[in-house]
Structures are given as structure tokens and as C-alpha cells.
Amino acid sequence: MANILNLETATTNCSVCVAVDGKVASLVEENSVNYSHSEQLHVFVEEALRQASLALSDLDAVAVSKGPGSYTGLRIGVSSAKGLCYALDLPLISIPTLESLAAQLKMEPGEVVIPMLDAKRMEVYSAVYDHEHKEIRGTRAEVINEESFQEFKKYQKIHLTGSGAKKCQELLAVHKNFKFHTEAFPSAREMAFLSHEKFKAGQFEDVAYFEPFYLKDFILQKKKG
């Protein structure tokens, strides 16, 4: 039996899931535009463990959403995950944020999902998965325009999901095979199955050297005046 603590902090949603053998045993999360991760994450960990009737000593691994996403959110999640792994001598598992976001949708053959996160202005972070949730185009940062994702029009239905889908809806709604899921956001819930599969395969990160997948360099903006 594998007990895995899953942490999702890549976006505004601060989410913690305890999974037992790949199934959700507890889920505690709050999607707040105020980014309450630094204040809430460890509180949510304690609550999720309590709800699952487990202690930190019962854990077999810690999984964290690796990005892309918010620089600060990713730093908080990864730092917390690495700290727990060091203290408890546990393996670290990383899950691509867009992969777990894509996993929220159930699809039929002939459909694809493009999970995407808002990267400000008209840019998004996106990837493409087929109906079996296998990656068919890797993660990239791209500027959205009227011609975006036209190479996937051969599919019967193209699901655009996540915070980046809203800006796409304004430009791509004329294409009937595009379906928009603008209210979706990454959650630790979908990490439960994904982290268990990696645990069984022994796909662990080096706790000392693992870093989030930022995709773009973080630029500190200086205040004017």
C-alpha cells in the first residue's frame, strides 16, 4: 500500500491530496486570487492527513506539481515538498501541471485536450494530449491568435481547458470543434493516480537538485519612483 501526499501550488489553487494506492483519501484546497499558499499549505497538509487518518510517518512519498505556473507558487510547493522529503527520508515525485489539468477531462477517440495556463497578455503555457491522455505535443509558451491550434482541426473535438482558455475563447469560438472549459484549474486530486503510477515505476527526482519547470525566466520588476 502506497500513501502519497500530493501538493499543487502552481496556480491560485492551493491544493493538497492524500492518496492511498492512487485513490483520493482526502482533498483540501482553496482557490484564491490572493495566493494564500504560504499561509495555508502546511495547514492543508495537516488537515488532509487528519481526514485520511494518517500521520506524516505513514507516508511513502511526496508528489509536487512541477509547473509551469506561478513562480512564487511553484517555489512554495517545491520547497515544502523537498523539506518533507528531507525530514522524513521520502522519495520525491514530480507531476507536470498541465498533465494533471488535462486528466480532469474524459474524452472519446478522435478528441484532444489542450490544457493551458494564463501567462499574461495574450500568452499561454500549453500542451496537447490525446483521448488517452498521452502527450502528443510538448509544453510551450505561445502567443494566442486566430490561427492558434489550427493543426489540430482534424480532430472531432478540441478541448481547451484552464485559465488560458478564456482568452482563446474570444478568438477561436468561431471554430465549432473547439470546446472551452474556462473555469477549470489544476488540483491535487488528479495527481493521485499520476503520482501512484510514477511511484510504482520508481520515477523519483533528486531531492537535492530538483527545481520547478518555470518554462520562462523569472524577471523581478523594479518599482518606479
Side-chain angles (χ1 to χ4, degrees):
M1 182 176 292
N3 302 322
I4 301 178
L5 178 68
N6 299 276
L7 309 179
E8 168 57 74
T9 61
T11 66
T12 53
N13 189 33
C14 183
S15 181
V16 176
C17 166
V18 173
V20 178
D21 285 345
K23 297 182 179 179
V24 175
S26 64
L27 176 68
V28 182
E29 62 184 1
E30 180 180 341
N31 188 21
S32 170
V33 295
N34 296 320
Y35 279 95
S36 59
H37 303 27
S38 59
E39 297 85 4
Q40 299 281 37
L41 184 58
H42 288 288
V43 176
F44 287 4
V45 168
E46 292 178 358
E47 177 61 19
L49 287 168
R50 187 193 67 79
Q51 290 184 16
S53 299
L54 295 173
L56 286 172
S57 58
D58 295 318
L59 295 176
D60 296 294
V62 178
V64 66
S65 180
K66 67 181 288 186
S70 157
Y71 178 89
T72 302
L74 289 171
R75 291 303 301 177
I76 292 171
V78 169
S79 296
S80 297
K82 291 172 72 170
L84 288 167
C85 288
Y86 271 123
L88 302 169
D89 192 25
L90 295 175
L92 175 66
I93 299 169
S94 71
I95 302 297
T97 306
L98 295 177
E99 182 178 1
S100 62
L101 178 58
Q104 294 181 8
L105 281 174
K106 306 299 181 184
M107 295 177 289
E108 300 293 331
E111 301 181 2
V112 295
V113 57
I114 306 177
M116 53 179 59
L117 300 178
D118 191 346
K120 307 304 180 184
R121 298 186 177 87
M122 289 307 294
E123 194 170 20
V124 299
Y125 302 132
S126 68
V128 184
Y129 296 84
D130 67 13
H131 75 281
E132 296 180 328
H133 296 101
K134 295 179 181 178
E135 186 180 77
I136 58 176
R137 200 217 70 192
T139 300
R140 66 175 65 159
E142 55 192 314
V143 177
I144 297 301
N145 58 47
E146 291 84 353
E147 301 302 317
S148 294
F149 311 119
Q150 295 305 299
E151 65 269 35
F152 301 104
K153 284 185 65 179
K154 63 181 180 181
Y155 291 95
Q156 296 174 8
K157 188 173 292 184
I158 305 164
H159 298 273
L160 280 69
T161 185
S163 61
K166 189 171 184 178
K167 63 177 62 174
C168 291
Q169 189 172 24
E170 299 172 0
L171 294 172
L172 303 176
V174 293
H175 304 291
K176 294 183 179 179
N177 53 343
F178 282 88
K179 184 173 179 60
F180 303 91
H181 308 266
T182 60
E183 302 302 318
F185 50 83
S187 169
R189 182 195 308 106
E190 284 71 39
M191 294 176 64
F193 171 78
L194 298 172
S195 61
H196 184 62
E197 291 299 298
K198 282 199 167 185
F199 181 83
K200 291 190 297 182
Q203 297 177 356
F204 305 130
E205 303 291 348
D206 187 314
V207 177
Y209 295 102
F210 176 73
E211 291 292 332
F213 178 42
Y214 296 119
L215 193 57
K216 295 196 302 182
D217 292 334
F218 176 70
I219 301 175
L220 180 63
Q221 301 291 337
K222 294 182 178 180
K223 293 183 178 180
K224 297 181 180 179

